[in-house]
Amino acid sequence: TEELEVSEDETKAMLRKKKELETAISEGEGAIASLKEEISSLTASIKETDKKVEEATELRKQEHQEYKEERAANTAAKKIILMAKSRMDEFYKKKSSLMQASSHRALDSDDLAPPPETFDAYTTKGAEASKVTTMMEFMAEDLEKEIVDGEQEEKDSQASYEKFVADSAEKRSTATEEIEAKERAKAEAEETVLKSKAMSKAETRKLMGQSEYVKNLHSECDWLLENFDVRVKARRDEVESLKRAK
């Protein structure tokens, strides 16, 4: 009958809608699972970034402390060397002045007198002292170079550290924003899935009612078909009786 056909069409429409809802639920749950993995990965990357920054900070502190200690040691060594050189210069300068004065007095007293016996020895020692002071100058210059190189290395290390920290902060900020966006997307997907599940349950109940209704219609149709001949005969008998009654 027409009513049965309409009911069957409605049932098909309900089944299509339920299938669409089930597909939406499946896709939504898949999206939620993917978002959870992505959030977990981003969270792990933030922890790793924080760990690297912490390690870099500790290393920078150690390097800076070592730099200060090395600079202090080099500065002190340079100061000691220059002080020793200055005293040696002063000592040999005075010694030279005394020897020259003594030589002049000897010449004044007797032009033919030989130079003091210690003069040649002093000249030799003076030459050796000159070598020592020259070596001290080289040592002081080397220490000064180490100090200057150390300062530059410290500046470069600090600049590199600051850039690394800044880059890490930017990376952390970007990851945090991505996590927040994915958390919102996950919440929306979860809400959609919940609504789809509720709608799917409602459609299931409607289908159950519709199935029962269609079943009853089928039963009625079957009963009508089965009793059609009986009803037709009964109607004929009724008509014949009415005719005879006239």
mmCIF file of all heavy atoms in Angstrom, residues 171-192:
data_model
loop_
_atom_site.group_PDB
_atom_site.id
_atom_site.type_symbol
_atom_site.label_atom_id
_atom_site.label_comp_id
_atom_site.label_asym_id
_atom_site.label_seq_id
_atom_site.Cartn_x
_atom_site.Cartn_y
_atom_site.Cartn_z
ATOM 1 N N LYS A 171 60.439 29.156 20.131
ATOM 2 C CA LYS A 171 59.984 27.796 19.814
ATOM 3 C C LYS A 171 58.961 27.317 20.836
ATOM 4 O O LYS A 171 57.942 26.712 20.485
ATOM 5 C CB LYS A 171 61.187 26.851 19.801
ATOM 6 C CG LYS A 171 60.852 25.414 19.445
ATOM 7 C CD LYS A 171 62.105 24.553 19.442
ATOM 8 C CE LYS A 171 61.776 23.096 19.127
ATOM 9 N NZ LYS A 171 62.976 22.228 19.159
ATOM 10 N N ARG A 172 59.218 27.603 22.100
ATOM 11 C CA ARG A 172 58.304 27.204 23.172
ATOM 12 C C ARG A 172 56.964 27.908 23.036
ATOM 13 O O ARG A 172 55.903 27.321 23.202
ATOM 14 C CB ARG A 172 58.928 27.534 24.534
ATOM 15 C CG ARG A 172 58.237 26.887 25.706
ATOM 16 C CD ARG A 172 58.850 27.347 27.019
ATOM 17 N NE ARG A 172 58.523 26.457 28.101
ATOM 18 C CZ ARG A 172 57.332 26.382 28.700
ATOM 19 N NH1 ARG A 172 56.350 27.164 28.275
ATOM 20 N NH2 ARG A 172 57.119 25.529 29.675
ATOM 21 N N SER A 173 57.031 29.219 22.722
ATOM 22 C CA SER A 173 55.813 30.010 22.563
ATOM 23 C C SER A 173 54.966 29.480 21.406
ATOM 24 O O SER A 173 53.737 29.340 21.522
ATOM 25 C CB SER A 173 56.177 31.479 22.318
ATOM 26 O OG SER A 173 55.018 32.250 22.088
ATOM 27 N N THR A 174 55.638 29.167 20.280
ATOM 28 C CA THR A 174 54.920 28.639 19.113
ATOM 29 C C THR A 174 54.270 27.296 19.445
ATOM 30 O O THR A 174 53.109 27.053 19.091
ATOM 31 C CB THR A 174 55.903 28.461 17.933
ATOM 32 O OG1 THR A 174 56.473 29.731 17.599
ATOM 33 C CG2 THR A 174 55.187 27.897 16.720
ATOM 34 N N ALA A 175 55.015 26.428 20.118
ATOM 35 C CA ALA A 175 54.478 25.113 20.496
ATOM 36 C C ALA A 175 53.299 25.260 21.450
ATOM 37 O O ALA A 175 52.301 24.532 21.340
ATOM 38 C CB ALA A 175 55.575 24.261 21.135
ATOM 39 N N THR A 176 53.406 26.204 22.379
ATOM 40 C CA THR A 176 52.320 26.438 23.338
ATOM 41 C C THR A 176 51.056 26.906 22.619
ATOM 42 O O THR A 176 49.940 26.450 22.929
ATOM 43 C CB THR A 176 52.744 27.487 24.384
ATOM 44 O OG1 THR A 176 53.903 27.004 25.079
ATOM 45 C CG2 THR A 176 51.628 27.732 25.389
ATOM 46 N N GLU A 177 51.229 27.823 21.661
ATOM 47 C CA GLU A 177 50.074 28.305 20.888
ATOM 48 C C GLU A 177 49.448 27.161 20.092
ATOM 49 O O GLU A 177 48.213 27.063 19.999
ATOM 50 C CB GLU A 177 50.521 29.421 19.944
ATOM 51 C CG GLU A 177 50.884 30.719 20.659
ATOM 52 C CD GLU A 177 51.434 31.767 19.714
ATOM 53 O OE1 GLU A 177 51.528 31.470 18.495
ATOM 54 O OE2 GLU A 177 51.766 32.869 20.176
ATOM 55 N N GLU A 178 50.287 26.303 19.523
ATOM 56 C CA GLU A 178 49.772 25.161 18.758
ATOM 57 C C GLU A 178 49.003 24.205 19.671
ATOM 58 O O GLU A 178 47.953 23.676 19.285
ATOM 59 C CB GLU A 178 50.934 24.417 18.084
ATOM 60 C CG GLU A 178 51.543 25.175 16.916
ATOM 61 C CD GLU A 178 52.636 24.379 16.229
ATOM 62 O OE1 GLU A 178 52.705 23.157 16.451
ATOM 63 O OE2 GLU A 178 53.423 24.980 15.483
ATOM 64 N N ILE A 179 49.518 23.991 20.870
ATOM 65 C CA ILE A 179 48.835 23.118 21.827
ATOM 66 C C ILE A 179 47.467 23.689 22.173
ATOM 67 O O ILE A 179 46.463 22.959 22.209
ATOM 68 C CB ILE A 179 49.683 22.938 23.099
ATOM 69 C CG1 ILE A 179 50.885 22.033 22.812
ATOM 70 C CG2 ILE A 179 48.848 22.336 24.235
ATOM 71 C CD1 ILE A 179 51.846 21.905 23.964
ATOM 72 N N GLU A 180 47.426 24.992 22.444
ATOM 73 C CA GLU A 180 46.150 25.633 22.790
ATOM 74 C C GLU A 180 45.145 25.505 21.652
ATOM 75 O O GLU A 180 43.961 25.220 21.885
ATOM 76 C CB GLU A 180 46.397 27.107 23.126
ATOM 77 C CG GLU A 180 47.163 27.308 24.438
ATOM 78 C CD GLU A 180 47.554 28.757 24.672
ATOM 79 O OE1 GLU A 180 47.337 29.581 23.744
ATOM 80 O OE2 GLU A 180 48.071 29.071 25.754
ATOM 81 N N ALA A 181 45.618 25.712 20.411
ATOM 82 C CA ALA A 181 44.726 25.598 19.243
ATOM 83 C C ALA A 181 44.228 24.163 19.087
ATOM 84 O O ALA A 181 43.043 23.926 18.811
ATOM 85 C CB ALA A 181 45.464 26.042 17.984
ATOM 86 N N LYS A 182 45.108 23.200 19.284
ATOM 87 C CA LYS A 182 44.728 21.789 19.148
ATOM 88 C C LYS A 182 43.814 21.348 20.294
ATOM 89 O O LYS A 182 42.944 20.506 20.103
ATOM 90 C CB LYS A 182 45.987 20.919 19.077
ATOM 91 C CG LYS A 182 46.773 21.111 17.786
ATOM 92 C CD LYS A 182 47.989 20.219 17.709
ATOM 93 C CE LYS A 182 48.822 20.550 16.472
ATOM 94 N NZ LYS A 182 48.092 20.306 15.213
ATOM 95 N N GLU A 183 44.014 21.914 21.470
ATOM 96 C CA GLU A 183 43.132 21.608 22.598
ATOM 97 C C GLU A 183 41.718 22.104 22.305
ATOM 98 O O GLU A 183 40.733 21.418 22.604
ATOM 99 C CB GLU A 183 43.655 22.264 23.878
ATOM 100 C CG GLU A 183 44.891 21.603 24.483
ATOM 101 C CD GLU A 183 44.573 20.290 25.178
ATOM 102 O OE1 GLU A 183 43.416 19.829 25.099
ATOM 103 O OE2 GLU A 183 45.495 19.712 25.782
ATOM 104 N N ARG A 184 41.639 23.299 21.705
ATOM 105 C CA ARG A 184 40.314 23.822 21.327
ATOM 106 C C ARG A 184 39.669 22.947 20.258
ATOM 107 O O ARG A 184 38.472 22.628 20.336
ATOM 108 C CB ARG A 184 40.444 25.262 20.826
ATOM 109 C CG ARG A 184 40.762 26.285 21.902
ATOM 110 C CD ARG A 184 40.568 27.702 21.398
ATOM 111 N NE ARG A 184 41.492 28.026 20.319
ATOM 112 C CZ ARG A 184 42.690 28.549 20.499
ATOM 113 N NH1 ARG A 184 43.120 28.798 21.729
ATOM 114 N NH2 ARG A 184 43.464 28.842 19.474
ATOM 115 N N ALA A 185 40.470 22.561 19.265
ATOM 116 C CA ALA A 185 39.953 21.696 18.198
ATOM 117 C C ALA A 185 39.507 20.352 18.760
ATOM 118 O O ALA A 185 38.467 19.807 18.350
ATOM 119 C CB ALA A 185 41.032 21.493 17.127
ATOM 120 N N LYS A 186 40.264 19.831 19.716
ATOM 121 C CA LYS A 186 39.909 18.534 20.335
ATOM 122 C C LYS A 186 38.609 18.655 21.119
ATOM 123 O O LYS A 186 37.751 17.770 21.059
ATOM 124 C CB LYS A 186 41.039 18.077 21.265
ATOM 125 C CG LYS A 186 40.789 16.700 21.888
ATOM 126 C CD LYS A 186 42.043 16.177 22.551
ATOM 127 C CE LYS A 186 42.268 16.851 23.887
ATOM 128 N NZ LYS A 186 41.302 16.411 24.925
ATOM 129 N N ALA A 187 38.459 19.771 21.843
ATOM 130 C CA ALA A 187 37.235 19.983 22.623
ATOM 131 C C ALA A 187 36.021 20.081 21.696
ATOM 132 O O ALA A 187 34.953 19.509 21.982
ATOM 133 C CB ALA A 187 37.368 21.252 23.461
ATOM 134 N N GLU A 188 36.197 20.782 20.566
ATOM 135 C CA GLU A 188 35.098 20.902 19.599
ATOM 136 C C GLU A 188 34.768 19.540 18.991
ATOM 137 O O GLU A 188 33.587 19.195 18.818
ATOM 138 C CB GLU A 188 35.494 21.887 18.494
ATOM 139 C CG GLU A 188 35.588 23.332 18.976
ATOM 140 C CD GLU A 188 36.130 24.261 17.902
ATOM 141 O OE1 GLU A 188 36.406 23.765 16.776
ATOM 142 O OE2 GLU A 188 36.279 25.461 18.176
ATOM 143 N N ALA A 189 35.802 18.774 18.670
ATOM 144 C CA ALA A 189 35.584 17.441 18.089
ATOM 145 C C ALA A 189 34.886 16.522 19.085
ATOM 146 O O ALA A 189 33.986 15.753 18.718
ATOM 147 C CB ALA A 189 36.922 16.832 17.658
ATOM 148 N N GLU A 190 35.294 16.603 20.347
ATOM 149 C CA GLU A 190 34.662 15.772 21.387
ATOM 150 C C GLU A 190 33.194 16.150 21.557
ATOM 151 O O GLU A 190 32.330 15.268 21.717
ATOM 152 C CB GLU A 190 35.412 15.956 22.706
ATOM 153 C CG GLU A 190 36.774 15.275 22.715
ATOM 154 C CD GLU A 190 37.604 15.619 23.940
ATOM 155 O OE1 GLU A 190 37.292 16.619 24.617
ATOM 156 O OE2 GLU A 190 38.573 14.884 24.218
ATOM 157 N N GLU A 191 32.919 17.451 21.500
ATOM 158 C CA GLU A 191 31.525 17.899 21.623
ATOM 159 C C GLU A 191 30.703 17.409 20.432
ATOM 160 O O GLU A 191 29.557 16.943 20.602
ATOM 161 C CB GLU A 191 31.487 19.430 21.693
ATOM 162 C CG GLU A 191 30.086 19.975 21.915
ATOM 163 C CD GLU A 191 30.060 21.485 22.039
ATOM 164 O OE1 GLU A 191 31.150 22.112 21.994
ATOM 165 O OE2 GLU A 191 28.962 22.046 22.157
ATOM 166 N N THR A 192 31.290 17.488 19.242
ATOM 167 C CA THR A 192 30.595 17.028 18.033
ATOM 168 C C THR A 192 30.323 15.525 18.099
ATOM 169 O O THR A 192 29.233 15.058 17.736
ATOM 170 C CB THR A 192 31.441 17.338 16.782
ATOM 171 O OG1 THR A 192 31.632 18.755 16.685
ATOM 172 C CG2 THR A 192 30.753 16.844 15.517
#
